[in-house]
Amino acid sequence: MHNSHITLWLFALLLTSGCTSYLEDVQPEQSLDTDEVLTTASGLEAMLIGSYNSLQNSDYGANGLAINSSILSDNGTWRGSFPSYSDIFNRSQTVNNPEVAGFWREAYQAINQANLVLANVDAVSETGFTDADRSRLRGEALFLRGMSHFELVRTFAQPYDDDASVEPGVPIVLNGVTIPSDIAFPERSSVEDVYNQAVMDLSMAVDLLAPTGDPGRASSSAATAYLADIAFQQRNYEQAANLADIILNAGFSLTDNPQTPFRIENGPEEIFAVISTTQDNPGVNGSLPTFHSRNGRGGDVVVSADLEANGYRAIITPDQRAASTDTLIDLRFSELTSDGNFRFIEKYEDAANNADDNILARLPTYMLMRAEALVRLDGINEESIDLLNSIRSRAIRTLNASGFSGNASEFIEYEEDDFDNDDMLIEAIILERRVELAFENNRLNDLKRLRRDVRDLAWDDPMLVFPIPQREIDANSNLTQNEGY
């Protein structure tokens, strides 16, 4: 063990974050001796919080996972002044793009700190440190390592396909370091190998963690959700359906309307989120409401014309509108967007405090995942239609002449005979996913999974993959750059 010091710069931030339950026993020093950090329960807890803190960085989990998907895909239009995001929107990002570099840096920092927890958790022998404590630390670290490898590989490598065993993915890093001289310089593992490593880590996390955890903390349900995301991205629809079913039976429930999960955080449909509070957030130039809300920077990201026309306005069919004597409205459009010079996004509205959470896993994602997967496996079926209707019925209302809204289920719910074939039902579910999950971390990955063009680029176009940051290439001669950069 090197008798050096690890600079835990995160302490100053986290001790004022309001997340005191995470750090009740953590010392408030800026720097702790390595032996103390890696051999004590409080030190490893602080190291784990450091991994979560990297996830909370704007370029990675607090903002990047959502905004990058939206502006690279066909859901969001960028109209702000940040050159780095303008380049991403225009699919002209370079090897020196700071948002790209920040994503890579923070994800691997999260992995490094998780690795240090995993390497040292068995050495802790303090009185009062139980086997349950050890399992929780190990499980959370495995979750963070697994999900970070997965997010890296689907951001910096081509989508999982028949060539996954030979396509370059990202480096798999399983050993933590505390001093620069210990840093290894690994090659890029294949896309398949990175997926396999993520599955291994997340599967172990499922076995080690409780079904639910504190807000912003890993749980077995969160790990299961990520395993379902992996299977879905691999087009392994049988496994995705089975894993999604576990989520559907884990005690989560839909809120009464689609606004609530984004207004009252840590609600009944939230499985895992990156937490931001008024005291601990990515700041005025890094939060979700900064870029999305009209009350932030005036709507740097707005609803694309394609999403408005072929998403929000297409979700209720002409026949369904004609069947009701009252107007039919979708609350996801009327309440989670707003009209102006542009169609503004109101999913993330706390621009005054920059305190909106980024929900990375919530119940509707897995309801619609299972619905689509079951149709692909078994054709038109009652369960898929019921799941689809559940999402629609809580979002769509009737609006009468007096301005009162009511239940629209009888007009907008589907029946089996509404679909002439399996593909029609699959398309209805895909459309519902687009609208329900708009401006979350889904649309770009869905288009890649579906092998569909993304704003006139092929799903596997090199410019839909981020470049390996140039500074990483310069530091590690074993890294190869992505095509097109």
Side-chain angles (χ1 to χ4, degrees), residues 4-12 27-34 36-37:
S4 63
H5 284 71
I6 302 172
T7 302
L8 295 178
W9 52 269
L10 59 105
F11 280 135
Q27 297 183 40
E29 288 86 0
Q30 295 296 311
S31 177
L32 294 178
D33 188 271
T34 304
E36 183 176 352
V37 171

Side-chain angles (χ1 to χ4, degrees), residues 245-268:
D245 192 47
I246 294 173
I247 297 296
L248 270 53
N249 289 285
F252 301 98
S253 60
L254 287 178
T255 58
D256 291 338
N257 61 63
Q259 306 99 278
T260 298
F262 303 95
R263 302 294 179 261
I264 303 174
E265 288 152 340
N266 191 34

Side-chain angles (χ1 to χ4, degrees), residues 143 147 150 198-199 201-212 218-232 239-250 252 271-272 361 366 369:
F143 171 84
M147 67 89 69
F150 175 53
V199 168
D201 285 348
L202 291 164
S203 297
M204 288 190 287
V206 168
D207 293 335
L208 290 167
L209 296 171
T212 58
S219 65
S220 65
S221 295
T224 301
Y226 258 90
L227 286 169
D229 290 338
I230 290 173
F232 207 45
Q239 187 171 9
N242 292 336
L243 290 165
D245 192 47
I246 294 173
I247 297 296
L248 270 53
N249 289 285
F252 301 98
I271 301 165
F272 181 71
Y366 303 95
M369 177 188 292

Side-chain angles (χ1 to χ4, degrees), residues 262-462:
F262 303 95
R263 302 294 179 261
I264 303 174
E265 288 152 340
N266 191 34
E269 65 183 55
E270 183 178 301
I271 301 165
F272 181 71
V274 177
I275 304 297
S276 291
T277 69
T278 55
Q279 296 82 26
D280 183 12
N281 59 68
V284 69
N285 285 324
S287 72
L288 284 166
T290 290
F291 294 112
H292 292 82
S293 173
R294 70 190 305 168
N295 295 319
R297 287 172 46 88
D300 281 357
V301 184
V302 297
V303 177
S304 71
D306 186 77
L307 174 58
E308 180 168 353
N310 299 312
Y312 290 119
R313 296 193 184 280
I315 204 74
I316 305 170
T317 70
D319 287 345
Q320 290 167 343
R321 292 189 186 280
S324 173
T325 56
D326 294 327
T327 301
L328 296 178
I329 60 168
D330 190 325
L331 298 177
R332 295 168 298 193
F333 185 65
S334 64
E335 303 300 320
L336 292 177
T337 73
S338 62
D339 200 10
N341 295 332
F342 302 90
R343 194 78 204 181
F344 294 99
I345 302 157
E346 304 300 346
K347 234 173 193 178
Y348 311 109
E349 39 57 76
D350 191 3
N353 299 302
N354 307 299
D356 285 89
D357 296 348
N358 188 10
I359 306 176
L360 299 184
R362 66 185 183 97
L363 184 61
T365 308
Y366 303 95
M367 294 173 68
L368 294 170
M369 177 188 292
R370 180 165 170 81
E372 181 185 334
L374 287 178
V375 181
R376 294 185 182 278
L377 294 169
D378 302 322
I380 296 172
N381 66 92
E382 184 177 354
E383 182 180 353
S384 290
I385 292 175
D386 287 345
L387 289 167
L388 175 59
N389 285 338
S390 295
I391 301 296
R392 293 174 63 77
S393 293
R394 72 93 174 247
I396 301 174
R397 302 282 194 272
T398 60
L399 186 67
N400 64 25
S402 300
F404 294 105
S405 63
N407 191 298
S409 299
E410 65 177 300
F411 306 113
I412 55 86
E413 287 192 349
Y414 289 116
E415 298 178 356
E416 290 189 30
D417 59 9
D418 289 325
F419 303 100
D420 294 337
N421 52 58
D422 300 348
D423 286 343
M424 287 182 64
L425 177 52
I426 288 171
E427 289 304 317
I429 296 168
I430 291 170
L431 175 60
E432 204 71 36
R433 278 181 65 89
R434 183 181 189 186
V435 169
E436 176 66 27
L437 307 176
F439 306 104
E440 300 174 48
N441 181 31
N442 289 277
R443 181 59 176 173
L444 180 65
N445 295 316
D446 265 356
L447 290 171
K448 289 183 176 183
R449 172 180 62 86
L450 296 165
R451 311 294 193 255
R452 296 187 178 179
D453 288 355
V454 185
R455 281 196 286 134
D456 299 323
L457 292 184
W459 60 273
D460 58 352
D461 190 282

